[in-house]
Amino acid sequence: MTLVPTRIQLNRPLPPLTYLAPEGLPAGVRVRVKVRTSLAVGLAMGPDPAPPAAKLRPIEAVLDPFPLLPPKLRELQAFAARYYGCLEAHLLPLSLPQALLPHWEADEEALLPHWEADEDGQRLSFHRERGAWDVLSDLGEAWHRDPAILPTLLHRSGLRSAGFTEVRLTGAPHPPRVTPAQAKVLLLLEEAGGALMEPELLESASVGVSVLGTLEKRGLIARMKRVDLLGQRRAAGPDRTVQLNEEQRTALEAVPLGAFGVHLLQGVTGSGKTEVYLALAERVLAQGRRVLWLVPEIGLTGRLLDRLEARFPGRVAVGHAGLNAGEKHGDVVRLLFNGADLFVGVRNAVLAPLRDIGLIVVDEEHEGSYKSEEHPRIHARDLAIKRAQLEGCPIVLGSATPSLESWQAARNGRYQLLQLRQRPAGITLPSVEIVDLRDAYRQLRRKVILAPTLMQALTDTLAKGEQALLLLNRRGYENFWMCRACGKTLGCPHCAISLTYHRGDYRLRCHLCGHETVPPEACPDCGADHLRGVGEGTEQVEDHLRQLFPAARILRLDRDTTRRRGSFEAGLLAAESGQVDILVGTQMLAKGHTFPRLTLVGVLNADQGLKVADFRASERTFQLLTQVAGRAGRAELPGRVILQTYSPEHPAITFALAQDFEGFAASELPFREGLGYPPFTALSLYRAEADTPKAARDALDAFRQRLTVPGLRVLGPLEAAVPRVRDQWRMHLLLKGGRGALGEVLARHPLDPAGSISLDRDPLQFG
Ligand code: ADP
Ligand code: ZN
């Protein structure tokens, strides 16, 4: 056997290292190597054409019988690394669960995947010596042909969680007396956010199962089989295949399978977009190819999974951060062995190790959550388009309110535009009306949370036994505290924003860094006891509603009430099953959920998002209002939407009132064009962070001086919208230009990964 220099990528933010490995070892196979004196797992990346002159070490073992990363996915990662200016190593953890790519500090045990016995009952470790690649690859082929002999590719912790018994805190009040062992269990659960897998918990607490039994009897914890939970949901409901209407059929037929093409499917909520995706998926699966289906957030997957599982039983796998490690691991492993044909997931699922993709769906394509706001700052929708191109398959982007980027691409013919203009029978558009808060103020001579029109509508809705949803995009009790004597607001000592008052916990809290403090009695600056809260948040609205409607069942859903895993889904289920009269919360309520008895939607401050200094403020407000309006009256019950606003003449509000996306786009695009913003130019945001504002500015100034690429507009350095976060000062340098020129900047002026500047390509947030 010949050993040749081969690049090995470790799960570390470093470029690949070079080792000697068997000739013909395909890229994407995991290997075990020695790094200095310890062992590590790495991915083979193909032969090194220009190996270093130094003496090379051989690898220790080949771990997999076939590449875990399909070749097309490696191409996608290479593209993404170039485009976003990161290392491929940064993208690996997004493709494979951590358990499959341990760091080299991981204990020896974690580095040994347990390939279970093969057909002959021999442990695969037997074949795992350096030279056995051919033996392993034969086995790999056999598995691919017949997934029924699926081995369990699980390392220790994965294996243990295969039983999927989850232990959860019930939330019952902590009793005064618990044993030390019980206390340990409760504490660990608390720290883990309320739930842990049983084996993990038992080991970390080093207690026996009997302790859990006792706690369960005392009502402090609950034990559930997660598989059962998911299984139940996934099995729910028989498939009720609908007869597609004319528009849906036209859209379906307009998407040629087996060829790359971007298709923008635009239609209001409930117009039947999902039925079109399902029909396309059915055709693609029938051809033996696979489907990648992206959704913007976890909360959306539950109901969708029911529909998918009903239509394609046993063929669906899921990947999102809401799953625990075992579940995520399990479903990704199913993908690796071709044990699932349709993969649904949020942002990172765009990099899932799915082979032979025949269709990609990106639902709610305009959603900002597709963009990562952490390094590497990938945009899943944009990468999905690249992936479709590499796979040679169609991609369908769907939305009621497409991003102006996608809309413009459809208008100039780069994407094919497909529209659903009617809602299927039985579903009517809600009536939308505006309440001018300036009038309400003039009449009542005080600021009101609920204007009389909305109050009356709420009272009527409750009287009829129907549901209402109230949206306010600000959590906490009061937005900030201000001293009436000196005018100062109470700010975070680490960030350049004010602290928000949370009355339930009696804390002032920073929403950026989490800093919190007990509210002071008097102003820390002038000593006067004239502190006063300004700007109501969801917590206060909830309080207010409880006073106004003491008999109503009120549920608040925002980031504060949904910290625990599964609590958001639980809240939605309660609302869907009619156990809630008034839902109040932030924009997490606006997205694609269906509440059958919901007939009233109230937006308490519709123009709140317009005050932000961001060229997308108007677009986001329009999207939010349209989405939330789509929640009302989906079934037989007609819906009513009331928007409270101080700026009733703003286009984002008036076009939302008319539910007119095209009108909005036509009014907004000329502004973008005039100011040179996307979709008419591309942006690269260079972000500097440093201990002092000067250091941040100097770094960007130096970068700016060096720039040699022509045809760019450079703005800055400017202070970020929030100039200081966690004691770091933040400055921005914004580059506008063509994608080619911006790519050229990246190639000519690569950033030092250890430096103070980072790149945000196609930025969405300027905070
Ligand atoms: P969207 O994805 O655009 O919000 P959906 O595909 O979820 O819309 O459709 C909304 C509702 O209408 C669903 O309950 C769906 O089953 C139903 N529906 C969609 N198309 C049809 C049709 N052609 N005939 C009957 N019902 C339909
Ligand atoms: Zn802070």
Side-chain angles (χ1 to χ4, degrees), residues 491-499 509-516 724-727:
C492 174
H494 308 290
C495 310
I497 61 161
S498 45
L499 298 169
R509 187 172 293 144
C510 172
H511 284 182
L512 288 179
C513 74
H515 170 87
E516 55 176 40
R724 184 169 50 110
V725 175
R726 291 186 188 84
D727 295 317

Short mmCIF file of all heavy atoms in Angstrom, two decimals, residues 491-499 509-516 724-727, ligand 2:
data_model
loop_
_atom_site.label_atom_id
_atom_site.label_comp_id
_atom_site.label_asym_id
_atom_site.label_seq_id
_atom_site.Cartn_x
_atom_site.Cartn_y
_atom_site.Cartn_z
N GLY A 491 -28.17 53.05 32.39
CA GLY A 491 -27.59 52.29 31.29
C GLY A 491 -26.78 51.11 31.78
O GLY A 491 -26.47 51.00 32.97
N CYS A 492 -26.45 50.23 30.85
CA CYS A 492 -25.59 49.09 31.17
C CYS A 492 -24.16 49.59 31.33
O CYS A 492 -23.69 50.36 30.50
CB CYS A 492 -25.66 48.04 30.06
SG CYS A 492 -24.50 46.69 30.31
N PRO A 493 -23.47 49.15 32.39
CA PRO A 493 -22.07 49.59 32.53
C PRO A 493 -21.14 49.02 31.45
O PRO A 493 -20.03 49.52 31.28
CB PRO A 493 -21.68 49.06 33.92
CG PRO A 493 -22.67 48.01 34.26
CD PRO A 493 -23.93 48.33 33.51
N HIS A 494 -21.60 47.99 30.74
CA HIS A 494 -20.72 47.36 29.75
C HIS A 494 -21.11 47.65 28.31
O HIS A 494 -20.36 47.37 27.39
CB HIS A 494 -20.73 45.84 29.94
CG HIS A 494 -20.43 45.42 31.35
ND1 HIS A 494 -19.19 45.55 31.91
CD2 HIS A 494 -21.23 44.92 32.32
CE1 HIS A 494 -19.23 45.13 33.16
NE2 HIS A 494 -20.46 44.75 33.43
N CYS A 495 -22.35 48.14 28.11
CA CYS A 495 -22.83 48.35 26.75
C CYS A 495 -23.44 49.73 26.63
O CYS A 495 -23.88 50.30 27.62
CB CYS A 495 -23.92 47.33 26.39
SG CYS A 495 -23.49 45.64 26.74
N ALA A 496 -23.49 50.24 25.41
CA ALA A 496 -24.06 51.56 25.20
C ALA A 496 -25.57 51.49 24.97
O ALA A 496 -26.08 52.00 23.98
CB ALA A 496 -23.36 52.23 24.03
N ILE A 497 -26.29 50.82 25.84
CA ILE A 497 -27.75 50.84 25.78
C ILE A 497 -28.31 50.92 27.20
O ILE A 497 -27.60 50.68 28.17
CB ILE A 497 -28.37 49.61 25.07
CG1 ILE A 497 -28.04 48.33 25.81
CG2 ILE A 497 -28.00 49.54 23.63
CD1 ILE A 497 -28.98 47.20 25.45
N SER A 498 -29.60 51.26 27.29
CA SER A 498 -30.18 51.35 28.62
C SER A 498 -30.67 49.98 29.08
O SER A 498 -30.86 49.06 28.29
CB SER A 498 -31.32 52.37 28.62
OG SER A 498 -32.13 52.17 27.48
N LEU A 499 -30.86 49.87 30.39
CA LEU A 499 -31.31 48.62 30.99
C LEU A 499 -32.84 48.55 30.95
O LEU A 499 -33.51 49.56 31.09
CB LEU A 499 -30.83 48.54 32.44
CG LEU A 499 -29.32 48.53 32.63
CD1 LEU A 499 -28.96 48.73 34.10
CD2 LEU A 499 -28.71 47.25 32.10
N ARG A 509 -32.21 44.83 33.48
CA ARG A 509 -31.39 43.87 32.77
C ARG A 509 -30.96 44.42 31.41
O ARG A 509 -31.73 45.12 30.73
CB ARG A 509 -32.19 42.59 32.57
CG ARG A 509 -31.41 41.44 32.00
CD ARG A 509 -32.24 40.16 32.03
NE ARG A 509 -32.50 39.72 33.38
CZ ARG A 509 -33.64 39.14 33.78
NH1 ARG A 509 -34.62 38.96 32.94
NH2 ARG A 509 -33.78 38.75 35.03
N CYS A 510 -29.72 44.08 31.00
CA CYS A 510 -29.22 44.47 29.69
C CYS A 510 -29.57 43.38 28.69
O CYS A 510 -29.22 42.22 28.89
CB CYS A 510 -27.71 44.67 29.74
SG CYS A 510 -26.99 44.91 28.10
N HIS A 511 -30.23 43.74 27.62
CA HIS A 511 -30.64 42.74 26.64
C HIS A 511 -29.52 42.34 25.70
O HIS A 511 -29.68 41.46 24.87
CB HIS A 511 -31.86 43.24 25.85
CG HIS A 511 -33.12 43.15 26.64
ND1 HIS A 511 -34.35 43.50 26.15
CD2 HIS A 511 -33.35 42.73 27.92
CE1 HIS A 511 -35.28 43.30 27.07
NE2 HIS A 511 -34.69 42.85 28.15
N LEU A 512 -28.38 43.01 25.82
CA LEU A 512 -27.25 42.61 24.97
C LEU A 512 -26.28 41.70 25.69
O LEU A 512 -25.87 40.68 25.15
CB LEU A 512 -26.50 43.85 24.46
CG LEU A 512 -27.25 44.65 23.40
CD1 LEU A 512 -26.44 45.86 22.99
CD2 LEU A 512 -27.56 43.79 22.20
N CYS A 513 -25.89 42.05 26.92
CA CYS A 513 -24.86 41.24 27.60
C CYS A 513 -25.43 40.48 28.77
O CYS A 513 -24.73 39.65 29.36
CB CYS A 513 -23.70 42.12 28.04
SG CYS A 513 -24.08 43.14 29.48
N GLY A 514 -26.67 40.75 29.15
CA GLY A 514 -27.27 39.99 30.25
C GLY A 514 -26.96 40.57 31.63
O GLY A 514 -27.44 40.06 32.63
N HIS A 515 -26.17 41.64 31.69
CA HIS A 515 -25.89 42.27 32.97
C HIS A 515 -27.19 42.61 33.68
O HIS A 515 -28.12 43.10 33.05
CB HIS A 515 -25.06 43.55 32.76
CG HIS A 515 -24.92 44.39 33.98
ND1 HIS A 515 -23.91 44.18 34.90
CD2 HIS A 515 -25.66 45.41 34.46
CE1 HIS A 515 -24.04 45.05 35.89
NE2 HIS A 515 -25.08 45.81 35.65
N GLU A 516 -27.26 42.36 35.01
CA GLU A 516 -28.49 42.74 35.68
C GLU A 516 -28.22 43.28 37.06
O GLU A 516 -27.19 42.99 37.67
CB GLU A 516 -29.47 41.57 35.73
CG GLU A 516 -28.94 40.31 36.35
CD GLU A 516 -30.02 39.23 36.45
OE1 GLU A 516 -30.81 39.09 35.49
OE2 GLU A 516 -30.06 38.56 37.48
N ARG A 724 -20.93 50.29 21.85
CA ARG A 724 -20.14 49.50 22.80
C ARG A 724 -20.99 48.34 23.30
O ARG A 724 -22.15 48.53 23.69
CB ARG A 724 -19.72 50.36 23.99
CG ARG A 724 -18.81 49.63 24.98
CD ARG A 724 -18.21 50.61 25.99
NE ARG A 724 -19.26 51.44 26.56
CZ ARG A 724 -19.68 51.34 27.83
NH1 ARG A 724 -19.13 50.48 28.65
NH2 ARG A 724 -20.64 52.11 28.27
N VAL A 725 -20.45 47.14 23.23
CA VAL A 725 -21.11 45.95 23.74
C VAL A 725 -20.09 45.11 24.48
O VAL A 725 -19.01 44.85 23.96
CB VAL A 725 -21.74 45.11 22.60
CG1 VAL A 725 -22.33 43.81 23.14
CG2 VAL A 725 -22.81 45.90 21.86
N ARG A 726 -20.42 44.69 25.69
CA ARG A 726 -19.51 43.90 26.53
C ARG A 726 -18.14 44.55 26.62
O ARG A 726 -17.12 43.89 26.45
CB ARG A 726 -19.34 42.48 25.97
CG ARG A 726 -20.59 41.65 26.09
CD ARG A 726 -20.35 40.21 25.67
NE ARG A 726 -21.61 39.52 25.64
CZ ARG A 726 -22.45 39.55 24.61
NH1 ARG A 726 -22.13 40.21 23.53
NH2 ARG A 726 -23.59 38.92 24.67
N ASP A 727 -18.13 45.84 26.82
CA ASP A 727 -16.90 46.61 26.99
C ASP A 727 -16.02 46.65 25.74
O ASP A 727 -14.87 47.04 25.82
CB ASP A 727 -16.07 46.08 28.18
CG ASP A 727 -16.81 46.29 29.49
OD1 ASP A 727 -17.38 47.39 29.66
OD2 ASP A 727 -16.85 45.36 30.31
ZN ZN B 2 -24.78 45.13 28.63
#
